[in-house]
Amino acid sequence: MRTTLFLGAIAAASFATAAQAQDMSGDPAPFSGVYVGASGGYDVQPNDVGSSILFDRGSNGSFGDTVSTAAGANAFSPGFCNGRAVGATPLPGSCRNDKDGWSYYARVGADTQRGNIVVGALGEFGKTEINDSVSGFSTTPANYVMTRDVKWEASIRGRVGYAPGTTLFYGTFGPGYANINRSFTSTNTANSFAQFGKQKQFGFIGGGGIEQKLGRNFSVGMEYTYHQYNDDDARVRVSQGTAPATNPFVLAAGGATTDFRRSDEKFRWHSLRATAAFRF
């Protein structure tokens, strides 16, 4: 809420100062040119209720197997949660929600204005502080937590808009490229765990915004964007370690290994940011 009020105050200030931009009324293309700028705001993830961990017994690439105990029971019968486990059993309050967070980016771009139509492109590079976890609980009892966050994100996007005077309304869309950091933790200290899978992923970013000129060279605005990346090759491989041969991961895999992957293969979030730009 504080973030929304803060960004709203910036937008209100932008329009309040629009009268100061009347000296640009004679400029037929106030949004043409090259610019550099920055953006910052808050990122929020959609609800991923129902997320779980899928298992591949024998590590043969076929997920959807059940990990069973020596007695034939489901070793993960306690279930899963779409967040970070803080205990070995799924008690009330034992699973924290995914973390939303601040984002901060630098950008450079160029626009061409013909009449009221503005067409351009921009490149952006920055960081978001969100992280996304999913947890499983075994009958041991033990928890198994797979987490992902963003080391950095880059994008090159097109921009098309309509500018009635010194205010620009626009849409933006283009490919993104993100370095997705992954981590794994467990209260199971007997088995051995290894992570693999590429971290850098392609995706897409789309949204829109409003930009207000405050003088010939400076503008501020607000922008919403939706970010989505495929994250379908992150794996955790479980081997015997110091556990007995009757351990469910080894037993279920016929003496080999068992792989984990997340059921939710897309890493997605919404971003609302304030923007500022200096035009040359």
Side-chain angles (χ1 to χ4, degrees):
M1 179 61 72
R2 286 179 297 178
T3 302
T4 302
L5 292 174
F6 173 71
L7 295 175
I10 292 176
S14 300
F15 290 107
T17 55
Q20 301 175 11
Q22 294 304 311
D23 63 320
M24 296 183 294
S25 59
D27 186 350
F31 289 98
S32 282
V34 176
Y35 61 89
V36 295
S39 64
Y42 202 73
D43 291 357
V44 178
Q45 298 175 78
N47 197 327
D48 54 358
V49 171
S51 294
S52 65
I53 296 174
L54 303 180
F55 305 102
D56 171 19
R57 299 179 304 181
S59 303
N60 57 17
S62 177
F63 285 88
D65 299 330
T66 299
V67 176
S68 302
T69 65
N74 183 349
F76 279 81
S77 56
F80 305 88
C81 75
N82 57 310
R84 177 183 288 274
V86 294
T89 56
L91 298 173
S94 63
C95 193
R96 293 176 181 165
N97 291 333
D98 291 332
K99 178 187 173 186
D100 299 326
W102 297 99
S103 61
Y104 27 91
Y105 287 73
R107 54 173 57 184
V108 60
D111 293 321
T112 298
Q113 182 171 357
R114 295 289 184 270
N116 297 121
I117 304 302
V118 178
V119 178
L122 67 91
E124 196 170 52
F125 182 89
K127 164 76 174 172
T128 176
E129 296 178 351
I130 61 172
N131 65 55
D132 176 33
S133 298
V134 63
S135 302
F137 298 92
S138 67
T139 54
T140 313
N143 66 39
Y144 307 81
V145 185
M146 300 181 73
T147 300
R148 58 192 175 194
D149 57 38
V150 180
K151 283 186 176 181
W152 52 259
E153 182 190 30
S155 67
I156 299 176
R157 308 197 306 269
R159 193 162 85 146
V160 179
Y162 177 77
T166 58
T167 303
L168 171 64
F169 302 90
Y170 65 89
T172 180
F173 184 84
Y177 189 59
N179 189 339
I180 300 174
N181 183 51
R182 306 181 184 117
S183 62
F184 175 81
T185 61
S186 176
T187 55
N188 175 347
T189 58
N191 291 105
S192 295
F193 302 91
Q195 297 185 78
F196 60 97
K198 63 182 180 180
Q199 290 183 290
K200 296 182 177 66
Q201 303 283 351
F202 282 100
F204 69 86
I205 302 170
I210 182 171
E211 184 176 346
Q212 175 65 52
K213 293 292 289 289
L214 299 183
R216 287 194 178 276
N217 303 103
F218 189 67
S219 63
V220 297
M222 291 184 66
E223 184 177 85
Y224 161 80
T225 49
Y226 172 78
H227 306 240
Q228 179 172 304
Y229 292 89
N230 287 331
D231 187 33
D232 55 1
D233 68 341
R235 302 287 186 270
V236 174
R237 179 159 294 171
V238 190
S239 54
Q240 184 172 348
T242 60
T246 55
N247 177 267
F249 295 116
V250 179
L251 179 69
T257 58
T258 297
D259 286 355
F260 291 7
R261 78 165 173 85
R262 304 175 63 121
S263 64
D264 51 327
E265 298 180 346
K266 291 181 172 57
F267 195 7
R268 303 168 294 167
W269 67 91
H270 305 272
S271 182
L272 181 63
R273 293 185 244 154
T275 66
F278 181 84
R279 291 181 178 272
F280 297 95

